[in-house]
Amino acid sequence: MVRSSQQIHPAREPSPVRAAATVLLLRDTAAGIEVLMTRRSATASFAPGAYVFPGGHIDAADEAAKRIATRRPTQSRVQRTQAIAAIREAFEELGILLAHHASDGRPVSAADIAAMDRADTAGTAFADQCAARGLVLDSDKVFTFAHWITDRDLPKRFDVPFLVARMPEGQTPTADESEQFEPCWVRPADALARHAAGSFFMIFPTVRTLQRMAAYASVDAVLAACAPGGAGEAPLWTSCPRAGLLKGEDARYMEHESPFGELALVCPDGQIAHALDWQSEHPVALLKNVMRLTAPNPSAMTGPGTNSYIVGDAATGYIVIDPGPNDFDHIGRLWRATHGDIRMIVCTHSHADHSSGAAPLQALCKETRPPILGLASRPTARATARFTPERELADGERLALSGTSPEGTAITHTLRVIHTPGHAANHLCLLLEEDGLLFSGDHILNGSTTVVDPPDGDMTDYLESLDKLDAACEAGGVEFILPAHGYVIGFARTAISMLKAHRLKREARIAAAMQQLPDGTPEQWLPIAYDDVPERMWPVAARSLAAHVARIQQLNAAR
């Protein structure tokens, strides 16, 4: 858990969320699925002028309406109430009613709807109107597609399921002309294209929901994905997005997207204050005691560049993790960012984009002459990846900075060393104990998997090191991983679990390719096992394939 004293932005309480429900009414056409949308009033307090799906607040009366509503055996009480609320809102806003006559099962007709008071101006509750006409709400035909929680930065927030249902036959949507206007049927792909062109404004959750909806070929396919026996009664995803600044404008991201973890670390209460643009000119403050300076060496292998991390503050001095390549300007920027008060330089491993800047940086620090720490490269390392520290770090060793703040408060920043061979034989990670942060070097990256290149890289070591890091994260309450390439990663243990699962899944594909071509070569197995990877990346993938092949052969020999 990050210390509150190290957060950059003052804590604030996001606005409370209010329960709501919305429904995507779907129909099949020759061109594919269409969804019913409507434009909100330009004076609406939430998403004015946006094209949306019908929906609104969940009222107490929706709970009471269960007496006239159907239910699936696996449908929870909450889901049933949400479905009733969505049915009511679709009726009030667009004059669409998902219901049938209790007496004979007849679907609701246009005449039935015309006889009802959509605005409830007479004070007759929606459920009472339905009951008086012998109507039963078809809440068992409404399924949960997604679950959205409004972003923390917005003043008006909702906890809202995005439900799906088939549009009832024989009904025509008619907007209430007070809150909703211009009902229209639109293919998800067309709505997205019009939004991108600036003629069909939609808010972030609507856009992302339509992006997922566009993958389905029919209404049956959507309902099957949501129904019990498909994805179960749970939503296909749940998200409370976060926003940052990209090119000076708000940009929002879901939990699975690369910038999300960084925004959660830097702006935990939803402040839109963190710039996500990659640049190498200035260090980026992640906490008061952690800065990142990205080297100007972007490439297919390094992503936006190699991240050098600066841990500490003016009262304690600084530790630099991975000083990066021997780039004159980058080294100078590290020195200026620390005012030359560097106490230690730590290299996570010997690769040149991480360690070759260590000696030049040390030479600049004439007063402190910080020791260069890490693990020496092994004989298996390539000639371009030779590295010898001034002192080798022991597994579990702690590197501490301490000092006193101007207010007289004692400050400590402690990095614990974790040996993690795999990507390289001399790889290590560092855990900032007071704040629960893991500096992962190249062992865990954001946006890609690391290369395990034999003989210095070893896949068994790599997987065992993942397990070791997972245990360290569990014991240390680690929520964030700071990789050597890419943004901060959130949900640390989930990320590790997914990474291990990915590696084992790839290994299974490689093993299957080896069985398919038992007399084949790695060059022949590669296109089979990596047919889901762009061919331009195969030369890089071939290295990790070699590591997997060696591991598979070792496991077979052990059996």
Side-chain angles (χ1 to χ4, degrees), residues 468-505:
K468 187 176 182 180
L469 290 177
D470 180 63
C473 289
E474 181 181 24
V478 174
E479 298 177 5
F480 299 100
I481 298 172
L482 282 65
H485 304 281
Y487 295 114
V488 173
I489 301 169
F491 310 107
R493 296 193 65 205
T494 300
I496 293 172
S497 175
M498 292 177 64
L499 181 55
K500 183 176 180 180
H502 170 79
R503 285 263 60 105
L504 292 176
K505 183 178 180 181

Side-chain angles (χ1 to χ4, degrees), residues 103-117:
S103 58
D104 54 12
R106 282 182 299 113
V108 169
S109 67
D112 292 324
I113 295 173
M116 297 176 67
D117 181 8

Side-chain angles (χ1 to χ4, degrees), residues 357-380:
L361 180 60
Q362 182 191 58
L364 276 181
C365 302
K366 301 184 185 303
E367 294 186 9
T368 58
R369 189 169 174 78
I372 298 172
L373 309 175
L375 296 174
S377 54
R378 303 304 187 239
T380 50

